[in-house]
Amino acid sequence: RRAARLVKPGGRLVYVTCSLLPEENEHQIEEFLNCEEGETSGWRLDVPTDFVVPFEAGNGSYLRLTPAQHGTDGFFAAVLRRDEENEDSR
């Protein structure tokens, strides 16, 4: 949340963890997007279409790599974009 205030309008914020737990991943993103206060308002998911590995988790909203499926450590990523017209941006 603290980093959100540093992103210019139209800019991206990438949330990444080395966890597979929904409480540390999807739940954090959903809470961030549902909060309409201050720096956390005016954001949306911005799924890249040209990434090497497809964003398949969460109905195509998130990237999740697993040891069983990808031969890697657990990994999660979500890309968020700040709205252009956000009046609170700095």
Side-chain angles (χ1 to χ4, degrees):
R1 291 177 199 251
R2 289 181 294 192
R5 66 184 176 89
L6 303 174
V7 179
K8 68 180 183 175
R12 290 183 179 158
L13 178 67
V14 180
Y15 179 82
V16 180
T17 70
C18 54
S19 170
L20 297 176
L21 299 174
E23 297 82 16
E24 296 178 357
N25 300 322
E26 293 93 336
H27 295 177
Q28 296 298 315
I29 297 300
E30 291 163 11
E31 183 179 315
F32 180 87
L33 292 174
N34 289 327
C35 184
E36 291 295 329
E37 299 175 5
E39 299 298 334
T40 61
S41 65
W43 291 86
R44 61 183 166 81
L45 285 168
D46 186 32
V47 181
T49 57
D50 58 349
F51 199 69
V52 177
V53 179
F55 279 49
E56 298 175 330
N59 294 323
S61 299
Y62 309 116
L63 173 69
R64 181 187 318 281
L65 302 179
T66 67
Q69 187 175 7
H70 301 96
T72 65
D73 290 341
F75 184 79
F76 173 89
V79 180
L80 304 164
R81 183 178 294 271
R82 181 174 227 154
D83 290 343
E84 291 281 348
E85 66 276 356
N86 189 333
E87 296 176 11
D88 292 332
S89 12
R90 298 179 188 171

